[in-house]
Amino acid sequence: MTYIKRDIEATILEVSESYASMILTGPRQVGKTTTLRHLAGEERAHVTLDDLEARRLAQNDPELFLSLNPPPLLIDEVQYAPQLFSQIKIAIDRGALPGSYWMTGSQAFHLTALSQESLAGRVAVLRMSSLSQHEIYGRGHHEPFSLVMEKLQRRGQSGTQTDTPGQYERIWRGSLPGHVSGKYANREIFYSSYLQTYIQRDIGDMMDRVDALQFVDFIRAAACRAGLTLNVHNIALDVGVTDDTAKRWLRLLEKSGIIFYLRPFSGNMIKRTIKMPKLYFFDTGLVAYLTKYSTAEILHSGAINGAILENYVVAEIIKSYANRGLDCIIHYYRDRDGREIDLILESDGELHPIEVKKTASPSGHLTGRPFRVLDEAGLPRGLGAVVCTKAAFAAVDRMTVVVPVWTL
């Protein structure tokens, strides 16, 4: 199996030059351990707390654990022994060198809170998601997505062009390294096993007595609404659980990095906006599997083809920022008058409206009316974009460029 170079590698090495401890969080099977072991070299010891004996020692005698495993050290699944954080703090205060402690964990929200409580100011927390399009199909250096012409052109040079059916093949194939790398070639078995492991391990750690079959049905009901405004009641109704249970289970999916939300844009100058977030998955392959699309061709012409394309675009933009250790400030807009902007990217004091369309021939009517919302409100609008399946960069007008999905 060939190692897939990750865009986050440079960020990991950069923070390791300043911080004595670093935590790489993210869902299971996105390549956290593989990446860190690739970067570690032979001198860094590796201990996983999936090993019950190692976990027991780390929990009961963290001082002895660290004495037996001196730095530079890589600790996998550190959320199982938060007792280590206080002892690592002592080691740092005693002069531990930059890069001494690398750690991974699958429960990002919980782990970040625990580590910041004990290691505030002493730990760098990075998030790794599933593979980006650039990591799978691209080459060279990759920057966070930006609507600056020079940067857009560089994105085109680092990507690999594909047509619309090829783009849906990428969406359907997904972005989890185990399948993309060819290690687990059978897609159906891979995703089935992935869900079973996820529910047994991550969900089991966070909540007792979850019916596994019902929870899979719940994830499937959520996947059917990927790229749409969240309606908790309808998801709950599909599965036969209460609204409170559905909210609790959605929080579990968010905490474990399976889903994320896009919050609505609002401000004092804009009224009558829809307040509910939109729901997305980090891996569109999982969405296609859960919604029973057996081929990319069927997905291309299926009922969710627009929503899953939007999901793919939003996830790719966010990944491009996370791989540089940056937050992506992005929203969507919808008001009660029917005007909608798929994405609004905030950057350098300007708002960049973005529409996501399946078409390869976008026209001005797609953006004229909705993008004017920002102008009418007197907000600082920068260059906008239509992200679509067109083969090459183009322009709708002076304020709106056309960005091919393959360049993300």
Side-chain angles (χ1 to χ4, degrees):
M1 184 179 67
T2 303
Y3 175 75
I4 300 174
K5 180 177 173 57
R6 306 303 297 263
D7 288 337
I8 201 173
E9 289 178 17
T11 308
I12 292 169
L13 296 176
E14 179 185 347
V15 301
S16 293
E17 293 177 359
S18 303
Y19 289 86
S21 62
M22 183 272 298
I23 298 178
L24 187 60
T25 69
R28 288 188 181 276
Q29 299 186 37
V30 296
K32 300 184 297 295
T33 303
T34 300
T35 300
L36 292 184
R37 293 191 71 174
H38 176 77
L39 296 174
E42 296 180 359
E43 71 280 0
R44 185 177 295 270
H46 174 217
V47 182
T48 175
L49 299 189
D50 276 332
D51 182 295
L52 295 181
E53 288 300 318
R55 185 189 306 183
R56 187 176 297 111
L57 179 60
Q59 291 173 339
N60 297 332
D61 197 336
E63 183 178 6
L64 178 59
F65 176 90
L66 292 180
S67 296
L68 293 173
N69 299 284
L73 176 64
L74 167 58
I75 307 172
D76 268 332
E77 303 299 348
V78 72
Q79 75 272 4
Y80 290 131
Q83 298 86 346
L84 287 171
F85 293 140
S86 295
Q87 205 61 42
I88 290 174
K89 174 182 179 296
I90 292 172
I92 294 172
D93 290 344
R94 288 175 176 171
L97 296 174
S100 290
Y101 299 100
W102 285 0
M103 296 168 275
T104 74
S106 301
Q107 298 172 11
F109 281 48
H110 178 60
L111 186 56
T112 300
L114 286 173
S115 63
Q116 293 291 4
E117 183 178 318
S118 300
L119 291 170
R122 299 171 178 84
V123 63
V125 181
L126 300 176
R127 175 178 174 78
M128 175 180 274
S129 189
S130 52
L131 290 161
S132 69
Q133 178 176 232
H134 174 258
E135 290 169 331
I136 304 172
Y137 305 104
R139 57 193 175 275
H141 179 72
H142 205 55
E143 301 175 349
F145 179 80
S146 171
L147 286 176
V148 174
M149 288 306 301
E150 296 80 4
K151 294 183 178 180
L152 285 174
Q153 290 167 354
R154 286 199 292 270
R155 298 185 78 81
Q157 294 166 2
S158 67
T160 299
Q161 186 174 342
T162 188
D163 57 12
T164 302
Q167 193 64 64
Y168 275 86
E169 178 69 34
R170 295 180 181 186
I171 293 170
W172 179 83
R173 185 185 183 196
S175 54
L176 290 176
H179 177 55
V180 171
S181 67
K183 182 178 180 180
Y184 302 108
N186 188 305
R187 178 178 173 275
E188 296 294 311
I189 294 175
F190 171 78
Y191 275 111
S192 175
S193 301
Y194 178 81
L195 285 172
Q196 291 177 41
T197 302
Y198 166 68
I199 292 171
Q200 291 169 2
R201 300 290 298 277
D202 286 349
I203 299 302
D205 288 342
M206 291 187 285
M207 179 179 290
D208 294 330
R209 298 184 300 278
V210 172
D211 185 303
L213 293 177
Q214 189 175 44
F215 200 83
V216 170
D217 289 341
F218 179 80
I219 303 176
R220 180 172 291 111
C224 290
R225 294 164 173 82
L228 304 179
T229 305
L230 178 65
N231 188 319
V232 175
H233 178 69
N234 285 351
I235 296 175
L237 204 62
D238 280 358
V239 188
V241 298
T242 65
D243 287 7
D244 285 343
T245 297
K247 290 176 183 176
R248 189 165 63 251
W249 287 2
L250 284 168
R251 282 196 295 270
L252 294 179
L253 292 176
E254 184 183 16
K255 287 181 177 180
S256 51
I258 300 296
I259 66 169
F260 65 97
Y261 296 110
L262 207 59
R263 305 293 173 183
F265 181 83
S266 61
N268 294 332
M269 304 298 293
I270 294 182
K271 309 297 182 184
R272 297 173 54 78
T273 56
I274 303 297
K275 302 299 183 183
M276 294 301 295
K278 292 176 78 171
L279 171 68
Y280 298 93
F281 280 65
F282 274 111
D283 177 41
T284 54
L286 179 60
V287 175
Y289 168 78
L290 287 166
T291 51
K292 302 299 183 182
Y293 283 92
S294 58
T295 68
E297 292 78 12
I298 296 173
L299 178 63
H300 178 203
S301 59
I304 68 168
N305 62 21
I308 201 169
L309 178 66
E310 180 181 318
N311 190 139
Y312 185 82
V313 168
V314 177
E316 289 300 317
I317 291 174
I318 291 176
K319 288 175 188 179
S320 76
Y321 280 80
N323 285 334
R324 297 300 170 196
L326 301 172
D327 291 326
C328 180
I329 306 175
I330 191 169
H331 309 275
Y332 84 96
Y333 174 87
R334 182 180 296 160
D335 62 27
R336 290 178 173 82
D337 298 321
R339 295 184 295 185
E340 180 176 1
I341 302 174
D342 290 336
L343 310 173
I344 298 177
L345 178 66
E346 294 189 45
S347 176
D348 295 326
E350 292 185 323
L351 304 175
H352 299 275
I354 301 170
E355 284 291 301
V356 181
K357 300 297 179 184
K358 184 186 173 187
T359 179
S361 304
S363 59
H365 80 275
L366 293 175
T367 61
R369 181 171 178 260
F371 284 13
R372 280 199 299 272
V373 169
L374 303 180
D375 299 327
E376 292 167 0
L379 296 169
R381 175 156 81 98
L383 190 66
V386 178
V387 179
C388 64
T389 57
K390 190 176 180 66
F393 288 104
V396 175
D397 52 47
R398 287 182 175 272
M399 288 297 293
T400 311
V401 295
V402 176
V403 179
V405 179
W406 65 263
T407 67
L408 295 179

